[in-house]
Amino acid sequence: MRFGNHSSWKSLSSAVLSAVLLSAAPAIHAQTSTQTSAQSNQNDLTGYWDLRVPVGDGTYRETFFELQQHGQALTGRIFGRTPQGIPMQGTLTGSAIHLSTVPIPIGGGGTRPPMVFDGTFEGGKLSIESRNHAGQSTKGDAERSTREAAMPPAPLPLPAPRDLPDNGLVRTPPMGWNSWNKFAGRITDADIRSMADAMVSTGMDKLGYLYINIDDTWQLGRDAAGNITMNEKFPNMKALADYVHSKGLKIGIYSSPGPKTCAIYEGSFGHEDQDAKTYAAWGIDYLKYDLCGARAVYSLSEATERGLYQKMGEALERTKRPIVYSLCQYGDFDPWKWGAKTSGNLWRTTGDIEDKWKSMDKIGFSQLAIASYTRPGRWNDPDMLEIGNGGMNADEYRTHMSLWSMLSAPLIAGNDLRTMSDETKSILMNKEVIAVDQDPAAKPTQILAGGSGQPGTVETLWRPMQDGSIIIGIFNRGEQPTVAGFEWTSLPGGLAGKSRSARDLWTHQAVPVDGAKFASTIPAHGVTLLRIH
Ligand code: GLA
């Protein structure tokens, strides 16, 4: 059995970064080694060291050091942010070891606070307490290692490019829930079960929310046969899938084409077929496949990324189980142009969303430029919803829900469904807005007016619906309430001057269509959303 481990050269998500003691970002070191035979000398620290800090779920986080000892003086590198590693220096006085990263300039004449390591070196064993840039500390033991162990593995061959057939799934944008935005690395089996319960008890399932998706940090490592194993937070994945299915819901899981995921848990690198089979045997219905760790192994290009996603796409296809395939590579190399060819059903179009107006506003409105790429079964994914997580106000969350729905974006809630306020429910469970998202025609949203693309402006968007009606969304991206509207004669979609009825999808009331103009007062960061027949 190999235990789950998290090595420092793999990529980390920004969310995880803040939690990781050593802030170990992608760190591939291609140095020429000065490793010596001092490994055999128990009193000499020279060589490679693997520091392991337990995470608390049966896995541990690994960081590699290379050290040289000259009497009491130590020099070396920690494999962190740069390919060459971050230089360190320190001392060994008796059994007391002290190391510190050398100051790194950060612009403006300042330097980055050092990472500091203090501990003991006794009987060939190194025990270390580490303090990161933010002053957070953790403890772990380091053992002798090798340069090879500290290096990312060699790339594996990728399949010859071919267009995979459409898997026929998610003809309307997928709806459900995902663990990452609220729980990150703390998600457990019990949370997933209670989230499935809440999906049903709130009635969200009846509105179309179907998938309960486990994001990163469920993995442990691999057994002797190479099968992926779960850490202590997930005792029995098959039983969990059965439970979620028993509620009439579907279950999703997460992996990476790299050796490690973004949170530095075990990825599917070299085990794609085996993992796809395992997911199918467990009864998994949805896979989010997140590039992260692959960036340390492959030099990335559109061809490489397509190859990596095609490889898992083919593995999923071979299982013959309907598994929604969600590509997560942050929009690099325009996946809206090729994601479907890897049998992808949805592809992230941007970096990670944060529960902040600025993040949601930037991500959401940047989607207008690529809105025309959506088709049934092929969805642009501007990332999961933050509604109910507390970082935005209700007007901002209504904008989030309205914009995502106008864009036919996946509606994957990211909040705690067990403790939702009535206001959060009224936003996530607005039937009339969900109907916009789920319109089977999936026609793209277009710009009617505004369209400067700049934060702070009013954007008026429209979208034709299958039944001949149109949706108009007037978004106030500014910091002050504003009065905005349109002339009835200017309506697109063949409705100019002919509209018979209009409905406000947030007040759930009819809007008078007489008079020359529609106008409403829109709060700062708010929206007026109309369906017009
Ligand atoms: C990346 C993804 C996130 C989440 C984390 C998990 O940052 O973009 O959505 O899956 O990884 O580590």
Side-chain angles (χ1 to χ4, degrees):
M1 159 83 86
R2 266 176 58 202
F3 293 102
N5 60 77
H6 313 250
S7 307
S8 61
W9 51 262
K10 288 87 184 178
S11 302
L12 287 178
S13 71
S14 55
V16 171
L17 265 173
S18 57
V20 174
L21 171 77
L22 296 173
S23 302
I28 316 152
H29 56 105
Q31 83 287 4
T32 51
S33 170
T34 52
Q35 189 177 5
T36 73
S37 59
Q39 283 198 1
S40 54
N41 181 351
Q42 289 292 294
N43 298 318
D44 193 331
L45 279 161
T46 300
Y48 280 85
W49 293 87
D50 175 2
L51 172 64
R52 294 174 175 191
V53 175
V55 173
D57 57 11
T59 66
Y60 52 83
R61 194 170 301 287
E62 273 184 308
T63 305
F64 289 91
F65 297 141
E66 186 198 6
L67 297 176
Q68 288 98 35
Q69 186 177 336
H70 321 274
Q72 290 191 336
L74 297 172
T75 56
R77 291 173 297 169
I78 174 171
F79 297 110
R81 286 182 184 278
T82 63
Q84 296 75 28
I86 301 173
M88 300 191 298
Q89 58 196 23
T91 52
L92 178 67
T93 317
S95 65
I97 178 172
H98 171 79
L99 281 162
S100 171
T101 53
V102 302
I104 297 175
I106 49 171
T111 53
R112 199 163 182 215
M115 292 182 276
V116 180
F117 307 90
D118 284 295
T120 55
F121 180 44
E122 275 164 353
K125 269 198 68 180
L126 208 45
S127 300
I128 292 188
E129 178 169 4
S130 326
R131 249 173 306 125
N132 71 3
H133 307 291
Q136 299 157 316
S137 79
T138 53
K139 284 186 178 157
D141 290 335
E143 290 180 3
R144 288 205 183 269
S145 185
T146 60
R147 177 169 177 250
E148 290 64 41
M151 297 285 280
L156 291 172
L158 297 174
R162 73 179 172 96
D163 293 357
L164 269 57
D166 182 355
N167 62 15
L169 301 171
V170 286
R171 298 298 95 177
T172 59
M175 293 176 65
W177 179 86
N178 172 292
S179 59
W180 186 255
N181 285 359
K182 177 73 190 175
F183 293 85
R186 297 177 305 280
I187 190 68
T188 66
D189 174 289
D191 295 326
I192 295 291
R193 285 171 193 254
S194 58
M195 225 51 74
D197 294 346
M199 195 70 108
V200 175
S201 65
T202 56
M204 284 178 75
D205 60 333
K206 300 280 177 308
L207 298 173
Y209 290 95
L210 182 62
Y211 293 94
I212 301 282
N213 293 346
I214 307 166
D215 207 277
D216 206 349
T217 78
W218 60 270
Q219 314 86 327
L220 176 67
R222 296 196 177 270
D223 67 15
N227 295 308
I228 186 84
T229 54
M230 287 85 69
N231 62 48
E232 288 162 13
K233 301 194 298 278
F234 288 90
N236 185 336
M237 203 58 92
K238 171 82 172 73
L240 180 56
D242 289 347
Y243 183 81
V244 172
H245 290 153
S246 77
K247 298 274 157 181
L249 301 170
K250 293 188 182 289
I251 185 164
I253 210 162
Y254 167 100
S255 190
S256 171
K260 296 290 163 184
T261 64
C262 289
I264 330 189
Y265 283 68
E266 189 74 13
S268 292
F269 177 77
H271 294 274
E272 293 81 359
D273 262 310
Q274 195 170 12
D275 286 357
K277 274 188 203 144
T278 303
Y279 304 151
W282 287 339
I284 298 295
D285 307 297
Y286 186 118
L287 172 67
K288 174 174 167 184
Y289 204 46
D290 193 351
L291 186 70
C292 259
R295 294 188 293 201
V297 179
Y298 296 90
S299 63
L300 294 177
S301 62
E302 181 185 321
T304 311
E305 295 207 11
R306 269 184 76 166
L308 290 166
Y309 281 95
Q310 184 185 322
K311 198 169 187 181
M312 183 51 101
E314 288 175 349
L316 294 175
E317 193 182 37
R318 281 192 280 271
T319 68
K320 307 262 190 289
R321 184 177 172 84
I323 299 177
V324 175
Y325 190 24
S326 159
L327 278 48
C328 179
Q329 42 78 280
Y330 338 110
D332 294 346
F333 309 112
D334 301 355
W336 42 91
K337 295 183 182 158
W338 52 264
K341 297 177 177 175
T342 71
S343 84
N345 296 111
L346 59 154
W347 35 83
R348 279 275 297 279
T349 52
T350 70
D352 290 12
I353 195 167
E354 288 174 72
D355 186 20
K356 292 179 186 153
W357 164 257
K358 231 177 144 179
S359 164
M360 188 273 289
D361 173 72
K362 183 172 167 219
I363 287 181
F365 289 100
S366 72
Q367 302 301 295
L368 296 171
I370 53 170
S372 62
Y373 287 92
T374 37
R375 304 269 182 287
R378 307 169 166 201
W379 308 107
N380 283 340
D381 174 9
D383 209 355
M384 303 167 294
L385 301 174
E386 292 283 10
I387 296 162
N389 279 334
M392 288 182 254
N393 66 33
D395 286 319
E396 295 169 333
Y397 284 142
R398 277 188 281 270
T399 292
H400 193 1
M401 185 75 183
S402 304
L403 185 52
W404 263 235
S405 294
M406 285 200 81
L407 292 165
S408 302
L411 295 180
I412 307 290
N415 59 318
D416 191 337
L417 306 179
R418 302 166 300 191
T419 55
M420 279 189 289
S421 68
D422 287 344
E423 189 162 66
T424 297
K425 284 186 196 164
S426 75
I427 298 171
L428 278 173
M429 298 176 65
N430 184 328
K431 241 185 188 163
E432 294 183 272
V433 178
I434 292 172
V436 177
D437 184 73
Q438 296 288 302
D439 188 64
K443 299 228 176 92
T445 280
Q446 300 163 54
I447 296 166
L448 186 64
S452 71
Q454 294 311 307
T457 54
V458 171
E459 304 273 2
T460 306
L461 310 180
W462 79 281
R463 171 168 161 199
M465 303 295 277
Q466 191 174 48
D467 66 0
S469 65
I470 63 168
I471 306 297
I472 300 264
I474 313 171
F475 295 87
N476 175 12
R477 300 171 69 187
E479 305 301 320
Q480 300 298 326
T482 193
V483 178
F486 54 86
E487 313 238 326
W488 290 107
T489 51
S490 73
L491 281 185
L495 289 178
K498 287 197 260 171
S499 53
R500 295 282 169 270
S501 68
R503 196 171 157 78
D504 184 318
L505 303 187
W506 286 109
T507 64
H508 304 290
Q509 280 173 4
V511 166
V513 292
D514 46 1
K517 232 181 140 181
F518 170 85
S520 74
T521 304
I522 309 173
H525 299 175
V527 61
T528 293
L529 194 67
L530 304 177
R531 184 162 186 160
I532 303 172
H533 288 266

